[in-house]
Amino acid sequence: MASATQPSESPSRARILETARREFADRGFDGARLAGIAREAGLSHPTLLYHFNSKADLYGSVIESAVLDWAAETEAAVSGALEGFDQVVSIIDAGFDFFATHADFARILRREALEGGERLDAAITDSLRPFLYRAVDFLEREMQAGRLRRHDPLELMQICYGAVFTFFSDSRFRARLLDSDPLSPDALTRHRNALTGLLEAALRPSSG
Amino acid sequence: MASATQPSESPSRARILETARREFADRGFDGARLAGIAREAGLSHPTLLYHFNSKADLYGSVIESAVLDWAAETEAAVSGALEGFDQVVSIIDAGFDFFATHADFARILRREALEGGERLDAAITDSLRPFLYRAVDFLEREMQAGRLRRHDPLELMQICYGAVFTFFSDSRFRARLLDSDPLSPDALTRHRNALTGLLEAALRPSSG
DNA sequence: ACCGGTCTACTGACTTGTCAGTAGGACCTA
DNA sequence: TAGGTCCTACTGACAAGTCAGTAGACCGGT
């Protein structure tokens, strides 16, 4: 979906990518303006179109770079070095860590999820679905082995993803609802601890 | 936010409202086209603007009607007729029931949440925040009384809201990811049971 | 002399909102 | 019951503005 015909990296190109990520997150694909993105990057909008062939191309590049990061940063979390509940925590933390450093991408991803994710087809097949199924397989195995109490593994993953993802994508809404800094380190660890605490109470077998 | 200068209800007006809800959910405020909404409702776009003064007015009317439904349908769930975990289930079920019958609105709401929810200010003050705090107060009380195991009540509500809300707002994404009917009665009860099961394991006190 | 990167100026497509005008029902009056 | 007047619902044509994308010139470095 994303082209790679342009020179792979230049200062302008990187700056455009950065401001585009923020604009697409703030306003969505339709709402974002090439002229606005270019202005924030210190360029005219035809110059932006010199670096990226079209708006769709720019958008695709934003997605692509974030999905590559996702694949790299979550690989360790599902590779299964740990056992039982410790590994569950590692998966949750991977999600928190990734979105904490890619907060804008969380909102772009949510917009895609709303519309069905057509533009994410490659990312789904290459990264997201494998990640999900590896996690589900792990949960299945550990429940079978008695290291985790039994719950529906696929639904469990969806509940966790929904909770973590919402924490980041809806941060501005939460700011308005609760009148507090929604992504402060404090708020983040509080939410992370609440989720892992809930999961521990539900998943860790009763014996010591 | 929404005007009431037009005749309160007419067949055309109702039809416009219905197709507008779907279009705004599918494409967002910027992506939706007045001409498209009008065509689907069997009218020309100036006629749409005869019934609603502007695109923003139409959007406001869509929001307004759904928020009124929300207030009416969730009132019972937090009024607190039940005790302990039974009441928790009642709150969860209220969320599932509302969104199951307002699936398009779930996606509109998520788009608002992404952008900070400026257009929901009245709804937040009148309905959403009171609902949240009544639920949090209830949880606090029940934990104090020992009828629920202790967790952070506010974070708990956010986890639940994130899970339920995501189930509906991201249904199309889930369809693509899992290649299954995302809002079938079966999928719905399965997710509902997984969530209440998880909560029961974490919240219900250990004694019988 | 070339070329990568940038600009200004422009276009064509599209969108919201306006406006003048029409069809037809309801209501009144003689 | 005929004719006049009003009102709601609706339309086609258009004004005004916005946007992505294009054309072509400029400029500095190699």
Side-chain angles (χ1 to χ4, degrees):
Chain A
M1 189 134 291
S3 82
T5 56
Q6 300 294 340
S8 60
E9 214 47 63
S10 80
S12 292
R13 200 182 143 89
R15 226 165 44 244
I16 291 168
L17 229 28
E18 203 176 317
T19 62
R21 186 164 45 236
R22 194 170 53 247
E23 283 292 297
F24 283 133
D26 283 356
R27 309 189 206 282
F29 183 82
D30 288 315
R33 302 293 169 228
L34 292 187
I37 295 168
R39 190 175 349 101
E40 275 187 70
L43 298 163
S44 67
H45 94 268
T47 303
L48 184 157
L49 286 165
Y50 167 79
H51 290 285
F52 300 88
N53 298 326
S54 68
K55 191 180 187 180
D57 180 32
L58 172 60
Y59 188 77
S61 299
V62 168
I63 300 270
E64 192 182 42
S65 79
V67 170
L68 286 173
D69 286 356
W70 165 267
E73 293 179 29
T74 57
E75 169 56 28
V78 284
S79 64
L82 302 172
E83 268 195 348
F85 185 69
D86 291 343
Q87 178 68 15
V88 172
V89 170
S90 151
I91 294 173
I92 298 293
D93 280 345
F96 270 102
D97 290 347
F98 176 76
F99 284 129
T101 55
H102 296 75
D104 285 334
F105 182 62
R107 313 216 334 276
I108 293 175
L109 202 60
R110 181 70 85 175
R111 290 180 189 276
E112 285 302 320
L114 274 169
E115 264 139 52
E118 266 179 281
R119 289 181 271 223
L120 291 177
D121 240 346
I124 287 173
T125 321
D126 297 349
S127 299
L128 274 26
R129 197 182 288 133
F131 174 85
L132 174 64
Y133 284 135
R134 285 175 73 179
V136 167
D137 285 349
F138 159 79
L139 290 171
E140 187 67 57
R141 223 165 39 234
E142 298 295 292
M143 287 171 188
Q144 205 82 36
R147 284 189 289 269
L148 292 175
R149 280 156 73 191
R150 185 144 272 298
H151 289 271
D152 185 323
L154 182 58
E155 299 298 323
L156 188 60
M157 279 304 296
Q158 286 181 60
I159 289 167
C160 293
Y161 132 80
V164 176
F165 194 10
T166 296
F167 179 80
F168 289 96
S169 76
D170 291 19
S171 57
R172 297 190 174 183
F173 179 74
R174 197 170 55 256
R176 186 176 298 268
L177 186 66
L178 303 177
D179 195 30
S180 64
D181 180 0
L183 292 178
S184 67
D186 190 61
L188 208 141
T189 59
R190 193 175 156 190
H191 198 69
R192 182 263 184 203
N193 288 343
L195 180 57
T196 53
L198 188 76
L199 290 172
E200 180 164 20
L203 289 178
R204 207 196 269 283
S206 35
S207 85
Chain B
M1 191 139 289
S3 83
T5 55
Q6 299 296 339
S8 61
E9 214 48 62
S10 79
S12 292
R13 201 181 143 91
R15 226 162 46 242
I16 291 167
L17 228 30
E18 202 176 318
T19 62
R21 185 165 47 234
R22 194 171 53 245
E23 283 294 296
F24 283 133
D26 284 355
R27 309 190 205 282
F29 183 84
D30 288 317
R33 301 292 169 228
L34 293 186
I37 295 168
R39 192 176 348 101
E40 275 187 70
L43 299 163
S44 67
H45 96 268
T47 303
L48 186 156
L49 286 165
Y50 165 79
H51 288 286
F52 300 89
N53 298 325
S54 68
K55 191 179 185 180
D57 179 32
L58 172 60
Y59 189 77
S61 299
V62 167
I63 300 271
E64 192 183 42
S65 79
V67 170
L68 286 174
D69 286 355
W70 165 268
E73 293 179 29
T74 57
E75 170 57 28
V78 284
S79 64
L82 303 171
E83 268 195 349
F85 185 68
D86 291 342
Q87 178 69 17
V88 172
V89 171
S90 149
I91 294 173
I92 298 292
D93 280 345
F96 270 101
D97 290 346
F98 176 76
F99 284 129
T101 54
H102 296 74
D104 285 334
F105 182 62
R107 313 208 344 269
I108 293 175
L109 201 62
R110 182 69 85 175
R111 290 180 190 277
E112 285 303 319
L114 275 168
E115 264 139 54
E118 266 179 281
R119 288 182 271 223
L120 291 178
D121 241 344
I124 287 173
T125 321
D126 296 349
S127 299
L128 274 27
R129 198 183 287 131
F131 174 86
L132 174 64
Y133 284 134
R134 285 175 73 179
V136 166
D137 285 350
F138 160 78
L139 290 171
E140 188 66 59
R141 223 165 38 236
E142 299 293 294
M143 288 171 187
Q144 205 81 37
R147 283 188 290 268
L148 293 174
R149 282 157 71 191
R150 185 146 270 300
H151 288 270
D152 185 323
L154 183 58
E155 300 298 324
L156 188 59
M157 279 304 295
Q158 286 180 59
I159 290 167
C160 293
Y161 131 81
V164 176
F165 194 11
T166 296
F167 179 80
F168 289 95
S169 76
D170 291 20
S171 58
R172 298 190 173 183
F173 179 73
R174 197 169 57 255
R176 186 177 298 269
L177 187 66
L178 304 178
D179 194 30
S180 65
D181 181 0
L183 292 178
S184 68
D186 189 61
L188 208 142
T189 58
R190 194 175 155 189
H191 198 70
R192 182 264 185 202
N193 288 342
L195 181 58
T196 53
L198 187 77
L199 291 172
E200 180 163 20
L203 288 177
R204 208 196 267 284
S206 36
S207 86

